[in-house]
Amino acid sequence: MKRRSSFVLVLGLIVAVLLRVIFSRTPEQKKAVSTAVTEPSRVTSPAAPSVPDIAVVEMKPETTPDSSSAEIPEIEGSWIKLLRELKELAAVAPDAALARVAGMPDKHERKTAARAVCLVIADRDAAKAMLAAWNNDLGKFTDEATENIAVEKLARQWAETDLVRAFVWASALPADDEARRDRVMKGIASALAQVAPAEAAAMIAKHIHPDSAVHIDAAIEVLRTWAAQEYSGAMAWAALFPDGALRERGIEELANLTPGQPPSENKTN
């Protein structure tokens, strides 16, 4: 009986403690306990931090422009473009190119264009080129060396293809104060010197006035060509030069020339 009463006493204490705990909770705590009892427990993992989307960019190796293949825009002035067009036309239609040149109003531009066109035409028809250059006053009323050189070159090209006709035409030209005729003769003599230097020397002596500014240059040019072919013959001719600038220059040229070598391979002062 005593053991039973002790058990009842302990059970009563336990019930009293439970009642005290239940009635001492707040409404929110009671609701949480009720929910935990009525709903099955759920375990949730903590929310993962949001990660911003990263665009996938295809990485390509850095390249630098290839200067060899890069296209460089052509910068061409209107005058240069006109000259280029005239030379292209002269190569296929010489008369048409010369007609365009003749219609140019500016004298300086006309002569410059004529020089360019005639040098192109000479590759096909040296006679036509020389006559056109003469008719366009190349080497006249000018101090430009390019025109004088062009006249000599055109005359030489003509003489290389038809020596007789070139010489006959040049012989009929009137003498002039600007030595245009002399420059034509110089070009012809230069071509003749390649095959007959003695005859070229005679041509200079007879057809180029000794007081002309072209005379010395023409004689020295033939002398160089002659010396490359026959040094002793060139020396004999130089010995005939009268005292003065031509004789002095001729002796100097021969002293600096190597017998048997072309003029282009000899170094002169």
Side-chain angles (χ1 to χ4, degrees), residues 83-129:
L83 283 181
R84 178 173 58 82
E85 292 175 351
L86 286 172
K87 289 192 288 186
E88 291 175 353
L89 181 61
V92 294
D95 292 333
L98 290 172
R100 286 190 59 182
V101 170
M104 298 177 67
D106 184 84
K107 180 179 179 180
H108 177 73
E109 291 182 356
R110 183 173 65 253
K111 293 178 70 177
T112 301
R115 175 175 58 85
V117 166
C118 289
L119 290 173
V120 173
I121 296 174
D123 292 334
R124 296 180 56 184
D125 191 338
K128 179 187 287 290

Side-chain angles (χ1 to χ4, degrees), residues 201-239:
M203 178 184 295
I204 290 173
K206 185 176 181 180
H207 295 282
I208 298 181
H209 197 281
D211 294 333
S212 169
V214 182
H215 186 267
I216 294 180
D217 289 339
I220 295 301
E221 186 170 328
V222 170
L223 183 68
R224 290 172 181 167
T225 303
W226 197 347
Q229 300 175 19
E230 186 189 358
Y231 194 79
S232 59
M235 288 185 62
W237 182 46

